[in-house]
Amino acid sequence: MTTTLEQAKTAAIPQGGGLHRRLNMATAMIGGIVFASLFWYLAHHFLDATSRTYSDEVAGSLTIGWIVGFWLGIGAFVAPLRWLIGRDNTRADDLYLAGQGQGTSRYWKFTTDHKVVGVQYIIMTMVLLGAGGILAMAIRTELIVPGNHFVNQQVYNGFIAVHGMLMILALIVAVAGPWGNFVVPIMCGARDMAFPRLNALSLWTLVGAAGLLLTTLAVGSLTMGWVVLEPIADQAGVGMDFFAMAIIVFTVSTTVAGVNTICTILTMRTKGMTLARLPIFVWGAIIAAALGLYAFPYFSLVEAQTLMDRTFSTSFFVANAGGTGWLQANLFWLMGHPEVYVILLPAVAALFEIAAVMSRKPVFSYRSAVAGMTGLAGLSILVWAHHMFTTGWAPTLGGPFMLTTELISIPTGLFFLVLIGTLWRGNIWMKLPTIWMFGFIANFIIAGVTGIYLSDIPLDDQLHGTMFVTAHFHYVFVGSVLFGAVSALAFWYPKVTGRFLNEFMGRISFWLTFIGVQVTFLAMFASGLRGMPRRYSSYAFIFEHTNLMTTIGAYIIMAGMLVLLGAVITSWNKGEPAGPNPWHANSLEWMVPTPVPLENFEVLPVITEDPYNYGEELVRS
Amino acid sequence: MSTSTNKQSLKGMLWTWAALTVIGVIIGLYAPAWIMPKSMSNNMHLTILTMVVFTVAAAPVAAGVYATALFALTRWTHKGNDVPSAGPAVRENAMVVTTWLVVSTLLTVFLLIWGLGALAVDNGSTGKNPLVVDVTGQQWVWSFSYPGTHVSSPDLYLPLNREVEFRVTALDVTHGFWIANMGVQVDANVGTITTIHTTPDKLGTFDIRCTQFCGLNHAFMVTEGHVLTAQQFTSWLASQPQRA
Ligand SMILES: [Cu+2]
Ligand SMILES: [Cu+2]
């Protein structure tokens, strides 16, 4: 399966192949639309139109048609089908599939090269953040003054649900997608992921799911938050069916990606790359992937049950037919809490990596870093009912769940120890990645302390369901994860493009975003403390000032993000050239040329020590 | 960096830490009571007290991280455009890691003990002749009825200094029954009754807001509540139309 770099260099576009070489995102969209129409037509004509669930059955069929057509149109099944009929891909076909000699068009295709997939994830993250961000601005604009002026309440409620879901998707992939794909295989000393075609499948499945999710807004009539609480979701229109199917498809993507990441890290490491010598980011990637494999099946399960309640008149969550909304809530949060750490861990692990490189020191207490991440992942599967303290479900479990939840402070504390210990008396190189890392540290403290309040039941009885909770998890997701993600982007951007992310624009963006986050979410804490519930489309006059502040802050964040977007776009071709190892780091991704050649290494390296030996030559000599 | 400047910088860091801790403690002592709604029940006193205690307990930890980060920014940053030389290659420090683990564990245990104690007080009933109020949520109104009286009201009326037991349910979808001034909240679920207790200890008016997303007019599912003296409450009850 390996090729030499010579072959890769000399070959232009590999010859042979057929129809599948012409497939790309456009054919995928066409396939999706054609099949969706076909499925809609069949369902429309052959299902019982008098049934109560008729419109949901039709909508469900249509969404299945969309994803099947999208997969076919992007060429996801070409290689397995060819294998089935005994005409397996040739070496030339595989190289073509890896994107050889195709310039930028390979970014819009079912391309298997892990670096192409990484870049596709960067684009995907920005699209999802952009769409979710536009909805956030619409929500904040509606809330700028009391009363409903800008959008009607029904539309507003849909915005709330889709904003939440889009941002969750964006952050799940924000670090693990781009860098878990682009740098993890190189860090391990591998030529690609363990299953390159599954890698492409995970990316394009995500695109298909995002398409469904965005369509929910057009179809409308969503009446629930992104948690899709039952029985309220039962009142939603066909938008709910699109929403549920988008989640089911999305979990296919995360499962495929998770298995691939784990297999790559476990089996594809080069000679001498023992687990103890792994760059710490690789640990973050594998722990997050494993946690995702545990968590996301609950998500597709709960959405499948919701869909069945709506189409087949089952009654998993229907209270007056033997079901219960508490079952939905349990299943949802069994996914929902671990998911927070699936999002957080890759960002934290990237920051450990960045802290070491930028302060020119080894990661302080590497073992604490690994233990902290593992401990957090382990605990996270035992805390889900803290989201249900006020539901009235199983009050006797309040104490035990308070215990497990508060224990989370201990591994989280280790993260601070590792970061602070790594910076301690370092020779800190103040570049963009470092600046965003300091932003993370400042915000993550606030996220952590406010999390402690919410883990305490008497306090949660006051704060649950209010804007305080919303502000808390926005400090986690925007203040912490987004800052970590931008730090990682600034850090590895030169490896992708050969150029630095514009330092000046990056700093402007940092200050706007950092100040915006404080204004937005500190004011939101105050709204919640004063008594404003979440998911409100309007509010009483006593919440006027804090809401105005939050909206102003949100606009500042948007300005910061737009500057960042400008920096990412303008630096791509015109940024300051960076060379293969601009941060003078030691891990393998910096040892290969930029742009990284297909299959990464001419000769696989042999590893004799971990990548953190800054200053140790001095000590030894 | 020589040892003496190191000592100096550490001393400065200690002062920064102390100053930030004091700021944190002051915020902790005054901000909750200042921002949060006026307390009208025993539960709310406990809620605010817990907020104060947790903030004060967290202040030195947060201040420690901020002080170190500020020092890193001012003293440990590399000046100039060249590549910085390597810092001290410290990989492990058994003392530091152990201390960190012990301190964070002790803090967690403290929070937990406080939380469990507060939980017992918060959710317990005194058992002394509580007034029972049946609370029913539906899209998008609350209604309150007083068992044994046939009185049903869209507003909530409570007597002062007598324990209330709310028995909460919903007719259509889940709603969240929350009295922000009393620190009590529980969901109203279809087909189930959930119970919470509180003892109002201040006369006055308060808002009841729905905390569980319940559809179109969720934001407008607000009702007034009133704490009356025992006498006023009795005469209010008597003046209400009796519904079957
Ligand atoms: Cu949680
Ligand atoms: Cu509501």
Side-chain angles (χ1 to χ4, degrees), chain A residues 536, chain B residues 136 140-144 153-157 177-179 205-210 219-226:
Chain A
Y536 261 29
Chain B
T136 308
W140 289 272
V141 287
W142 293 107
S143 60
F144 306 94
S153 159
D155 284 6
L156 176 62
Y157 290 84
F177 176 69
W178 178 40
I179 306 176
T205 304
F206 55 88
D207 278 335
I208 296 158
R209 299 192 191 89
C210 176
F220 302 98
M221 195 166 160
V222 186
T223 295
E224 260 192 12
H226 310 269

Side-chain angles (χ1 to χ4, degrees), chain B residues 99-113:
Chain B
T99 313
W100 190 277
L101 276 174
V102 169
V103 170
S104 60
T105 307
L106 286 178
L107 266 173
T108 306
V109 169
F110 166 73
L111 296 180
L112 188 71
I113 290 172

Side-chain angles (χ1 to χ4, degrees), chain A residues 202-218:
Chain A
S202 77
L203 179 275
W204 286 105
T205 304
L206 175 66
V207 177
L212 279 181
L213 191 59
L214 286 172
T215 324
T216 55
L217 279 177

Side-chain angles (χ1 to χ4, degrees), chain B residues 158-161 203-204 226-236:
Chain B
L158 299 173
L160 186 68
N161 290 333
L203 294 173
H226 310 269
V227 181
L228 310 176
T229 62
Q231 273 173 329
Q232 285 171 327
F233 179 73
T234 321
S235 49
W236 172 81

Side-chain angles (χ1 to χ4, degrees), chain B residues 175-176 210-214 218 221:
Chain B
H175 301 272
C210 176
T211 47
Q212 197 60 269
F213 184 78
C214 57
H218 165 58
M221 195 166 160

Side-chain angles (χ1 to χ4, degrees), chain B residues 51-68:
Chain B
M51 193 95 189
V52 169
V53 169
F54 280 19
T55 313
V56 169
V61 181
V65 175
Y66 282 135
T68 318

